[in-house]
């Protein structure tokens, strides 16, 4: 293997990081594989311990590696990458990537909405809404903790929502309730995982995540769903194209 270049303008830690990243991307190390320890990297690449540590830390921050206390550093599962150029469904995105989606229905209940939900769904102040809370998983691994809110006029029989999971939510709305989602407005905000969210998402409190808030509208421009999702930052990546 070609040695790292000490006389390069590129820092040694970055050169080492790219070597390790290349091994992951080429499939030399698979998800769940343990990578060499810092000491092994020091000996193999003739670098300092701080150089090896910094290279690993950046790959952990990038979501390519993860640490297990007292056990070592391992290759993470690849992130889901999703374009923001149009409407998308997590279930369909997962399937298109050759992955097996699984929804765990946590609860369906009638609740009093917050002021934000009232404004987004354009409902009267005294009206209650239907909340459906789900854990969106890929092959048993949790990716998204999601709460969808609907006006009662949209879902007159809340027991019908139990079908969601067998089919995607938007397919359910179209097939069962004759509601076609025409457009959605989505906002993104970086957040940190809270204690109750960490239990569902099986990650540590304080880990970076993305808060997605989406309002979906039918063909008449009427809001039919307000959705609040907490997306694990190490599992998903969103992008857009600028022309």
């Amino acid at each position: 293997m070609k040695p790292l270049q000490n006389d390069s303008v590129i820092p040694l830690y970055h050169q080492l990081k790219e070597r390790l990243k290349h091994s992951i991307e080429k499939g030399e190390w698979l998800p769940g594989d343990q990578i060499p320890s810092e000491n092994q990297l020091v000996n193999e690449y003739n670098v300092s311990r701080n150089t090896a540590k910094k290279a690993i830390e950046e790959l952990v921050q990038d979501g390519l590696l993860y640490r297990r206390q007292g056990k070592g550093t391992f290759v993470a599962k690849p992130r889901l990458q999703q374009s923001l150029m149009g409407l998308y469904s997590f279930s369909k995105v997962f399937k298109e990537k050759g992955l097996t989606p699984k929804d765990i229905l946590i609860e369906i209940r009638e609740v009093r909405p917050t002021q934000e939900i009232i404004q987004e769904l354009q409902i009267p102040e005294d009206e209650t809404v239907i909340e459906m809370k789900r854990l969106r998983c890929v092959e048993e691994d949790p990716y998204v903790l999601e709460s969808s809110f609907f006006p009662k006029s949209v879902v007159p029989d809340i027991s019908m929502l139990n079908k969601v999971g067998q089919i995607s939510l938007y397919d359910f709305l179209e097939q069962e309730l004759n509601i076609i989602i025409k457009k959605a407005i989505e906002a993104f905000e970086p957040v940190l995982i809270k204690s109750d969210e960490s239990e569902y998402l099986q990650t540590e409190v304080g880990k970076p995540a993305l808060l997605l808030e989406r309002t979906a509208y039918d063909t008449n421009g009427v809001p039919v769903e307000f959705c609040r999702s907490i997306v694990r930052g190490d599992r998903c990546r969103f992008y857009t194209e600028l022309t």
Side-chain angles (χ1 to χ4, degrees):
M1 181 180 293
K2 187 177 178 181
L4 302 182
Q5 300 176 23
N6 289 292
D7 57 350
S8 173
V9 295
I10 301 174
L12 282 174
Y13 82 86
H14 189 79
Q15 293 182 50
L16 178 56
K17 173 186 174 182
E18 290 302 309
R19 289 285 181 89
L20 302 178
K21 183 178 178 181
H22 179 80
S23 294
I24 295 170
E25 292 177 342
K26 292 298 182 181
E28 296 172 16
W29 296 331
L30 300 176
D33 285 352
Q34 184 173 7
I35 71 164
S37 67
E38 289 179 8
N39 287 336
Q40 289 174 310
L41 293 175
V42 166
N43 294 329
E44 182 176 351
Y45 290 96
N46 193 28
V47 295
S48 70
R49 187 177 181 84
N50 282 339
T51 295
K53 183 177 182 180
K54 185 170 177 59
I56 291 175
E57 283 179 348
E58 291 211 351
L59 288 170
V60 170
Q61 291 172 4
D62 291 345
L64 294 176
L65 298 175
Y66 66 95
R67 286 194 172 98
R68 285 183 184 167
Q69 188 80 26
K71 295 191 183 238
T73 306
F74 300 80
V75 179
K77 292 190 176 182
R79 286 181 176 179
L80 169 71
Q81 301 200 52
Q82 173 57 37
S83 170
L84 299 176
M85 297 298 289
L87 274 172
Y88 63 91
S89 157
F90 275 120
S91 297
K92 292 182 179 179
V93 168
F94 292 149
K95 289 178 180 177
E96 288 170 358
K97 304 293 184 185
L99 303 170
T100 304
K102 177 182 178 182
D103 285 354
I104 298 175
L105 184 60
I106 298 172
E107 64 179 344
I108 302 173
R109 59 177 183 159
E110 188 173 335
V111 298
R112 292 212 165 273
T114 64
Q115 196 61 41
E116 179 185 22
I117 296 172
I118 290 171
Q119 292 175 353
E120 293 295 332
L121 293 179
Q122 300 174 20
I123 58 175
E125 294 272 348
D126 59 349
E127 185 173 313
T128 57
V129 295
I130 306 303
E131 178 187 9
M132 179 178 65
K133 188 172 183 179
R134 294 182 290 168
L135 186 62
R136 318 298 302 276
C137 303
V138 176
E139 298 174 354
E140 307 299 330
D141 291 326
Y143 274 58
V144 184
L145 180 61
E146 182 176 281
S147 290
S148 292
F149 300 89
F150 310 92
K152 289 182 68 177
S153 59
V154 170
V155 188
D157 180 1
I158 65 174
S159 66
M160 295 180 68
L161 288 171
N162 286 300
K163 295 181 181 179
V164 177
Q166 302 168 27
I167 59 175
S168 73
L169 173 60
Y170 289 175
D171 282 346
F172 163 80
L173 291 175
E174 182 174 350
Q175 295 173 20
E176 300 290 335
L177 301 175
N178 200 30
I179 295 173
I180 298 174
I181 300 300
K182 182 66 174 178
K183 72 169 186 175
I185 297 175
E186 196 162 54
F188 301 80
E189 181 181 341
V191 294
L192 299 178
I193 297 287
K194 298 176 182 177
S195 58
D196 58 328
E197 297 163 348
S198 72
E199 294 179 13
Y200 287 114
L201 292 170
Q202 297 177 20
T203 189
E204 298 173 20
V205 174
K207 284 287 188 179
L210 199 60
L211 168 63
L212 276 60
E213 291 188 334
R214 171 192 282 196
T215 304
Y217 300 81
D218 66 13
T219 50
N220 295 317
V222 177
V224 296
E225 179 211 17
F226 175 72
C227 182
R228 185 179 188 275
S229 302
I230 300 295
V231 183
R232 282 185 55 162
D234 60 342
R235 294 283 170 87
C236 299
R237 180 173 180 262
F238 295 87
Y239 66 92
T240 187
E241 299 176 17
L242 304 177
T243 59

